[in-house]
Amino acid sequence: MTTRAWLDATDPGRYLQVTPKGKFGVDWLPCGNVTASAQKNVSLTRRTWLSAATALVPPALGHGASPRVLRFGLTPVFLDERLRLLQQWRLYLEARLGSSVEFVQRGTYAQVMDTLRNGQAHFAWICGYPYVLRQRELQLVAVPQWRGQPLYQSYLIADSLSRVSVWSDLRGRTFAYSDPLSNSGFLYMQHLLRANRQDPARFFGRSFFTHSHRHVVEAVAEGLADAGSVDGYVWETLAELHPELTGRTRVLQKSADFGFPPVVAAAGVDADEARAFAKALFDMPQYSSGRAVLAELRLDRFVPGDAGLFRGIAEMARGQAPAA
Amino acid sequence: MATASPQVLAPFGYRLKVPIALMAVALVSGILVAATTYMLVDRHVEENAEAETRRLAGTLARALAQPVLRNDVWQAFQTMRAAAQPPGTSAAQRVDVVALDARGQVFATPSPRVHPLGQHLSALPEPLAGAARLVLESSTPAPARVEVPGSGVLVLASPIVGEEDTVLGVVLASHPRALTDAQRSAVIRQLLALGAMAMLVVALAGAAIGLRMTEPLGRLRAVMLASARRAGSEEQAARAELVEVCARRDEVGELGRSFAAMLDQIAAQQELERHMLEAERMASIGQLTAGIAHEVNNPLGGMLAAIENRRLRGGVDDATAHALALLERGLRQVHDTVQALLNEARSERHALTASDLHDLELLLRPEAEHMRCRLDWDARVPGLELPAVPVRQVLLNLTLNAIAAAGHRGRVKVWTTEEAGAWQAWVGNSGPKLDAARLAALTQGSERAGDGRLGLGLWITARILHTLGGHLRLAPPDDVLGTLLVAEFTTPAP
């Protein structure tokens, strides 16, 4: 029933969802995580509705006869299956950019990277590992800030029922990786083993990819794998949202800090467009709808980043055989 | 049940027996239906479970071909978990599923803690391992089925087949053959709850129907009790009620009609007895009157002859002549009166004639036809001179009793014989046999027949015969006539 979202003139951070009601009346419903107390039903005349709609169209990216659709690729560097969160984020971005926004989700990191390469996506939130691998093809747009820093860690987790205490106890066991292009879910563990003079291909008895940090946690919690390598930010977020799941796992080891998975633009994206997109992300704390999305993401904000943040990942990547 | 019920319910009337019996039948039926349903459910679940498990193993084998080829353990795990342990299924309902690779090692399973990845089939429970070996060691890909005797566990194995019939692995699915304990208790609980409700409804309906069925019987009973009490207004109300009962077309209506017919018969019998008693009384008075008149008539004739003789002798003075005339007139008046009495008595005492017997037959025919009873009448005038009234009364009474005893579509035969100064009237009927002891009791007035067939009438008949010097006896029955009574009349004493 939702037809369009408009910014609320009284609060630039709030947008309202328009649903048809009767012949001329409309219901103005607050969307996303706007507090319940802010909910109101106001019946307006058709003229009021049209004038309000016209006044509220933002200028940014609003020029042109047919505004383009911005496609934003997502990888499981966060809990990307939370559809309500995605809906909130999409509405926020559309309101700020004045364009339609579509999220592009694929089964693996490599497939999302392909969408950037072949123009199916303009922007993407990817892992630091593929960023350093294809740095020349990409524009760094923004980096999330989590717990005060644009940094995160890789967690080595194990089944809470197992007696494994250090990484070396995992020899011959079953191990769950996230994705071959994941820093925290693959590269770090490979680096750790190589740094300790172990052959990653032979150290574990059996290993497999789940292509999602959340699935790594599930695989370890279910006992399918004895241990797994997972994004620390995802594990901590899961611990808040689903403590019964993370409670069945145990963190064996935490890595050093790495640059947080960045938001990048494809090489062909116009610089103004990239800046507008970055600004929309940077401005999220200024709007209640943006703050709601950040709260759901458990992030502080998006900040400008630089390639130096990912130096550690780049060093580890140099020791890794080319994966993509 | 069928033999026990009458004894158990013996102390109760039909008005309770019928509803209770219907309730009992409903309860027993409900229990039998529930037991049958349970057995059918058990069998159905067993068949369904096997079919479902076979389908699950086959579907998973096809779905896992690509994950096994790509070594995608997580995809295989997700597929198997979704298929074998859909959300909402309890632990007892879950099917144990394991996928092995071509080397016979666990590739994926929704229960990794039970069957860890990489575990060789030799470490699996024997039924699973046996089924896996059957598939993996078979020259051509074919499903296998292993049933563990006694344990109720069935294992179905389906090969994971790649291109050119290459066996990539095997999917093993095992399930309990029949209902699990949890399912069994759930089924029993539901059967008990629903069955109890259904049985309650059926039992109440049965009781209601039973009460409704026995209600006419109760009305008939009330009518019969009220008729027995013979209280005026109550009897009238009972009569009205009886008419309603008689209008029914069922067995109760038949009973009512029979009872009404019996009441009518008893009333007719009573009326007949009353008439006979009156007739007898009148006959006795007539006999007495005739006797007195006869006794008075003879002296009167003498006295009148004496007065006539005195006149013929002459020498009668006026006063004597006047007295004689006065006496003569008085005596003449007495004589006329006596003569009139004698004539009257003589008219009631006329000898039995053919027309008397004919009248009697005319009187009895309608009664026999009313009962649809065949009446064979062959009574002939006796050579003896017998008084008409008592003979008619005896014959009438005996024949009416015979018609009543013969009953509907019965047969009554009346004929007479005469020999050695005695005239016998034979009255036979096709009704139940009457024995001598009972006849004696009835004729002595010491017993009344409960069914109204024989009653006071026989006692009166016997008395009339006794008065006439005759007697009533029982003749041997033949094939048709079960009871044959013989009234024997002899010549009355002069």
Side-chain angles (χ1 to χ4, degrees):
Chain A
M1 294 298 284
T2 303
T3 56
R4 191 65 203 260
W6 307 95
L7 285 177
D8 185 343
T10 59
D11 178 1
R14 185 191 296 169
Y15 50 88
L16 297 171
Q17 181 174 312
V18 182
T19 57
K21 180 185 180 184
K23 192 172 182 181
F24 297 113
V26 292
D27 273 356
W28 294 73
L29 298 173
C31 298
N33 235 20
V34 178
T35 57
S37 61
Q39 291 187 1
K40 54 187 177 183
N41 291 334
V42 182
S43 289
L44 300 177
T45 65
R46 193 179 186 186
R47 180 175 297 174
T48 311
W49 183 82
L50 287 172
S51 60
T54 309
L56 291 172
V57 174
L61 294 175
H63 54 79
S66 56
R68 58 181 293 191
V69 175
L70 286 181
R71 295 192 179 85
F72 187 13
L74 300 176
T75 58
V77 294
F78 74 111
L79 297 174
D80 62 339
E81 74 280 9
R82 297 170 64 198
L83 297 180
R84 204 173 66 173
L85 163 64
L86 297 184
Q87 169 82 348
Q88 284 180 266
W89 202 3
R90 183 178 65 79
L91 291 175
Y92 167 79
L93 290 173
E94 285 180 344
R96 293 306 306 150
L97 298 172
S99 303
S100 292
V101 174
E102 285 181 5
F103 290 120
V104 178
Q105 291 172 290
R106 295 290 185 268
T108 65
Y109 286 39
Q111 288 172 338
V112 176
M113 294 307 293
D114 286 343
T115 62
L116 278 177
R117 186 183 288 169
N118 61 26
Q120 287 181 332
H122 307 108
F123 301 93
W125 189 3
I126 62 172
C127 184
Y129 182 29
Y131 170 69
V132 298
L133 288 178
R134 297 186 185 172
Q135 201 167 345
R136 292 178 185 174
E137 305 171 17
L138 304 168
Q139 306 174 54
L140 184 59
V141 173
V143 180
Q145 180 180 300
W146 179 51
R147 295 182 177 176
Q149 289 183 306
L151 302 172
Y152 81 122
Q153 293 170 297
S154 172
Y155 286 5
L156 178 59
I157 59 170
D159 185 351
S160 63
L161 300 176
S162 76
R163 294 179 180 177
V164 174
S165 58
V166 292
W167 67 266
S168 56
D169 293 339
L170 296 173
R171 182 185 298 278
R173 305 256 185 166
T174 302
F175 195 85
Y177 290 115
S178 173
D179 191 281
L181 280 182
S182 168
N183 168 52
S184 57
F186 179 69
L187 181 62
Y188 168 69
M189 194 62 211
Q190 296 277 305
H191 172 74
L192 178 67
L193 292 172
R194 275 197 304 274
N196 288 281
R197 300 178 184 283
Q198 301 294 330
D199 179 1
R202 296 181 179 178
F203 180 73
F204 298 115
R206 181 178 289 249
S207 65
F208 59 87
F209 292 99
T210 68
H211 302 289
S212 159
H213 291 295
R214 181 189 177 125
H215 290 164
V216 171
V217 179
E218 279 184 37
V220 175
E222 292 282 347
L224 189 67
D226 296 304
S229 182
V230 67
D231 185 323
Y233 154 72
V234 172
W235 192 90
E236 296 289 354
T237 307
L238 270 178
E240 286 184 39
L241 297 174
H242 300 287
E244 76 288 350
L245 180 63
T246 52
R248 287 149 63 195
T249 66
R250 184 160 46 92
V251 178
L252 285 185
Q253 186 172 326
K254 294 182 181 177
S255 71
D257 288 340
F258 299 115
F260 206 98
V263 176
V264 299
V269 173
D270 180 69
D272 288 343
E273 213 165 43
R275 272 196 295 276
F277 192 78
K279 187 174 185 309
L281 294 176
F282 298 155
D283 290 348
M284 284 174 75
Q286 298 175 31
Y287 298 92
S288 60
S289 53
R291 287 195 297 274
V293 173
L294 288 172
E296 286 293 315
L297 288 168
R298 300 314 195 254
L299 293 176
D300 303 335
R301 62 182 66 240
F302 283 87
V303 295
D306 63 77
L309 266 177
F310 306 98
R311 193 170 295 123
I313 298 174
E315 285 172 7
M316 290 193 297
R318 275 193 284 276
Q320 183 71 13
Chain B
M1 190 72 197
T3 54
S5 292
Q7 293 172 0
V8 174
L9 298 175
F12 303 104
Y14 270 98
R15 285 178 301 165
L16 277 179
K17 274 183 197 174
V18 173
I20 290 173
L22 284 174
M23 282 176 72
V25 168
L27 289 174
V28 171
S29 306
I31 290 167
L32 288 177
V33 167
T36 311
T37 306
Y38 175 76
M39 285 191 291
L40 289 177
V41 166
D42 199 25
R43 190 183 305 167
H44 181 71
V45 165
E46 181 182 328
E47 291 170 358
N48 261 14
E50 181 169 344
E52 282 294 320
T53 308
R54 190 185 300 280
R55 191 157 43 235
L56 177 69
T59 305
L60 281 178
R62 283 189 293 277
L64 293 184
Q66 284 300 314
V68 170
L69 263 180
R70 296 197 311 266
N71 194 30
D72 192 342
V73 173
W74 178 254
Q75 181 63 44
F77 169 75
Q78 280 192 311
T79 304
M80 295 175 81
R81 184 173 60 176
Q85 299 178 355
T89 52
S90 66
Q93 292 173 311
R94 287 178 185 170
V95 179
D96 190 15
V97 183
V98 182
L100 305 183
D101 57 22
R103 291 175 297 172
Q105 293 181 338
V106 174
F107 176 77
T109 171
S111 320
R113 295 190 191 283
V114 181
H115 309 296
L117 298 196
Q119 184 185 47
H120 192 260
L121 66 86
S122 56
L124 292 174
E126 184 45 39
L128 290 172
R133 280 195 203 96
L134 281 175
V135 172
L136 293 175
E137 293 170 5
S138 168
S139 55
T140 54
R145 180 181 186 278
V146 171
E147 188 174 349
V148 186
S151 70
V153 173
L154 180 73
V155 176
L156 296 166
S158 194
I160 303 172
V161 183
E163 291 294 325
E164 299 173 345
D165 284 347
T166 314
V167 175
L168 304 173
V170 58
V171 172
L172 305 171
S174 72
H175 76 95
R177 295 217 57 183
L179 288 170
T180 62
D181 288 343
Q183 288 173 320
R184 184 173 287 113
S185 62
V187 167
I188 289 173
R189 253 199 324 272
Q190 288 174 7
L191 274 177
L192 282 179
L194 294 175
M197 280 195 287
M199 280 192 284
L200 182 66
V201 170
V202 174
L204 288 177
I209 292 169
L211 287 172
R212 192 178 169 81
M213 284 171 67
T214 53
E215 186 261 337
L217 209 58
R219 287 174 68 189
L220 180 62
R221 175 175 171 271
V223 167
M224 292 172 86
L225 287 174
S227 299
R229 283 195 288 273
R230 294 168 187 272
S233 61
E234 195 177 348
E235 190 184 4
Q236 282 186 353
R239 267 285 171 179
E241 184 86 355
L242 183 59
V243 169
E244 286 182 23
V245 172
C246 290
R248 298 180 63 89
R249 294 182 177 179
D250 54 12
E251 288 81 353
V252 175
E254 269 182 41
L255 280 175
R257 287 190 287 277
S258 298
F259 180 67
M262 193 179 75
L263 285 182
D264 291 342
Q265 196 176 352
I266 288 172
Q269 188 78 22
Q270 287 171 340
E271 184 63 19
L272 185 63
E273 286 172 5
R274 194 178 64 77
H275 277 298
M276 289 192 70
L277 282 172
E278 195 174 343
E280 187 183 18
R281 191 158 55 242
M282 290 303 291
S284 300
I285 291 169
Q287 283 178 342
L288 181 65
T289 306
I292 292 169
H294 187 75
E295 292 302 320
V296 169
N297 197 36
N298 288 335
L300 272 179
M303 282 189 275
L304 286 170
I307 289 171
E308 189 60 34
N309 287 336
R310 182 65 188 90
R311 279 205 186 105
L312 291 173
R313 206 175 291 143
V316 179
D317 55 17
D318 289 341
T320 303
H322 182 72
L324 285 176
L326 188 64
L327 280 171
E328 189 179 16
R329 280 199 305 276
L331 287 173
R332 286 284 174 200
Q333 188 175 347
V334 172
H335 181 262
D336 289 344
T337 303
V338 169
Q339 205 61 42
L341 277 174
L342 273 174
N343 289 339
E344 182 66 23
R346 195 170 290 123
S347 69
E348 285 297 316
R349 289 174 60 88
H350 74 269
L352 186 69
T353 62
S355 61
D356 286 324
L357 292 175
H358 183 64
D359 290 346
L360 202 53
E361 184 187 358
L362 288 178
L363 189 65
L364 288 165
R365 283 264 174 229
E367 182 63 20
E369 285 168 7
H370 175 67
M371 290 291 286
R372 297 194 177 184
C373 176
R374 176 179 164 185
L375 174 63
D376 297 329
W377 181 269
D378 187 21
R380 299 183 180 190
V381 184
L384 305 172
E385 186 174 310
L386 294 172
V389 173
V391 170
R392 279 195 339 198
Q393 282 174 356
V394 167
L395 271 180
L396 179 70
N397 203 7
L398 286 178
T399 310
L400 282 176
N401 273 340
I403 290 171
H408 192 63
R409 298 189 184 280
R411 186 174 174 187
V412 172
K413 188 173 181 182
V414 180
W415 75 97
T416 56
T417 55
E418 189 169 11
E419 59 181 12
W423 186 71
Q424 294 97 13
W426 301 72
V427 181
N429 70 74
S430 60
K433 189 177 177 182
L434 185 69
D435 59 27
R438 188 160 168 76
L439 177 66
L442 287 167
T443 52
Q444 286 164 14
S446 60
E447 181 179 335
R448 277 179 171 271
D451 56 7
R453 283 190 303 110
L454 295 164
L456 205 56
L458 277 181
W459 174 65
I460 291 170
T461 302
R463 281 196 57 201
I464 292 172
L465 278 171
H466 180 73
T467 307
L468 292 174
H471 65 274
L472 184 67
R473 66 181 169 85
L474 196 61
D478 60 21
D479 294 341
V480 179
L481 305 173
T483 302
L484 184 57
L485 288 171
V486 185
E488 191 163 288
F489 298 87
T490 51
T491 310

